[in-house]
Amino acid sequence: MGKSTILLFVLFLFTACSGTKDVKEDAGTIILEAGFEGGGENTPLVLSEVFDSVTYFPIRSDDVLIGMIGDIRYHNHRYYILDSQQNMLYVMDETGHILNSISQKGPGPTEYITLQGFDVNPSNEEISLYDNSSKRIQVYSKEGTYLRSIQVDDIIRDFAVLDNGEYLFYTPDFMKGNRRGVWRADKEGRFKEQLVTIDDKFLYGGFIRSIFAGLMMPRSV
């Protein structure tokens, strides 16, 4: 789920930004081309044209109350749910039973302060949590045991973990000295190559859209 999402997002950036670089297609990777009718016009997205059905399951625990879902991943019959309000991650099976949770809030070396996002390594199921306050990725096992820390030099807004343990980082921010676009980093968070470059004509900054959506006014390109 994480890989397909980031690939679709990269394809969108290819059509919206200049200064792009071809993405290398690894063996076994499926890239879905997304076509948009109407040119640059904004048109409503009808979910019934994309999904044919919707299913749900209850969380089967009386002592779990999720405040705000910040992100969801599904891998190997498990759901990973980030509660951005309580600053913790839940892991549950397909029937809604809680398997474990990660709640290591604090300034210590094995802890985090503010969770910006997460992803699951598809090969070994290690969980990477990004601490926006310390600019650090905290890596835990699928059981929730702390494994290691990765310091990230740039401020990132989203990321994905590849099969080999490397990372794809993304940010649109215009802060001086901060990398922009989509780039690949090694297992230690060190920069390897720029995949998509965002220039000064890119209209979307680093605002959190769920908060500022009601404040944004339409503007011409």
Side-chain angles (χ1 to χ4, degrees), residues 11 42 50 57 85 113 134 138 143 167-168 170-172 188:
L11 284 172
N42 293 323
V50 181
F57 60 86
Q85 181 172 316
I113 301 173
S134 64
Q138 302 288 63
E143 292 81 16
Y167 291 88
L168 289 182
Y170 160 74
T171 185
E188 304 301 321

Side-chain angles (χ1 to χ4, degrees), residues 32-220:
L32 303 176
E33 295 186 4
F36 298 93
E37 298 181 355
E41 299 178 359
N42 293 323
T43 57
L45 174 63
V46 181
L47 293 181
S48 61
E49 297 178 358
V50 181
F51 304 102
D52 57 8
S53 63
V54 176
T55 60
Y56 70 93
F57 60 86
I59 298 177
R60 303 182 185 279
S61 178
D62 295 333
D63 58 352
V64 171
L65 180 62
I66 298 178
M68 179 182 296
I69 297 178
D71 204 351
I72 297 179
R73 296 285 188 274
Y74 175 79
H75 177 71
N76 196 19
H77 307 290
R78 293 186 174 195
Y79 287 97
Y80 300 79
I81 300 178
L82 173 64
D83 187 339
S84 55
Q85 181 172 316
Q86 299 189 67
N87 215 21
M88 62 185 299
L89 183 80
Y90 291 101
V91 183
M92 63 183 64
D93 63 19
E94 292 178 310
T95 63
H97 290 95
I98 302 294
L99 300 176
N100 57 66
S101 61
I102 299 177
S103 181
Q104 301 290 333
K105 293 169 282 189
T110 67
E111 301 171 326
Y112 56 80
I113 301 173
T114 306
L115 290 183
Q116 175 75 25
F118 80 98
D119 200 15
V120 180
N121 188 317
S123 62
N124 57 19
E125 299 184 63
E126 291 181 352
I127 304 169
S128 292
L129 299 174
Y130 177 59
D131 182 359
N132 187 47
S133 298
S134 64
K135 296 169 62 176
R136 185 171 60 185
I137 293 178
Q138 302 288 63
V139 184
Y140 299 84
S141 69
K142 65 179 181 180
E143 292 81 16
T145 303
Y146 169 81
L147 298 176
R148 60 188 177 276
S149 297
I150 300 173
Q151 195 67 41
V152 181
D153 293 332
D154 296 291
I155 294 176
I156 61 176
R157 294 301 179 190
D158 202 357
F159 72 96
V161 185
L162 304 178
D163 289 345
N164 60 2
E166 294 184 341
Y167 291 88
L168 289 182
F169 292 142
Y170 160 74
T171 185
D173 287 309
F174 289 88
M175 291 172 288
K176 289 185 177 180
N178 195 70
R179 194 179 303 278
R180 291 185 288 176
V182 179
W183 67 96
R184 183 193 296 261
D186 64 14
K187 298 178 182 179
E188 304 301 321
R190 295 184 294 256
F191 173 82
K192 288 189 66 175
E193 61 174 334
Q194 190 80 21
L195 299 177
V196 178
T197 299
I198 293 178
D199 60 23
D200 292 337
K201 297 179 181 179
F202 191 63
L203 296 181
Y204 297 97
F207 294 114
I208 303 175
R209 294 191 181 99
S210 61
I211 298 177
F212 292 95
L215 303 178
M216 295 180 64
M217 297 295 293
R219 52 182 172 176
S220 59

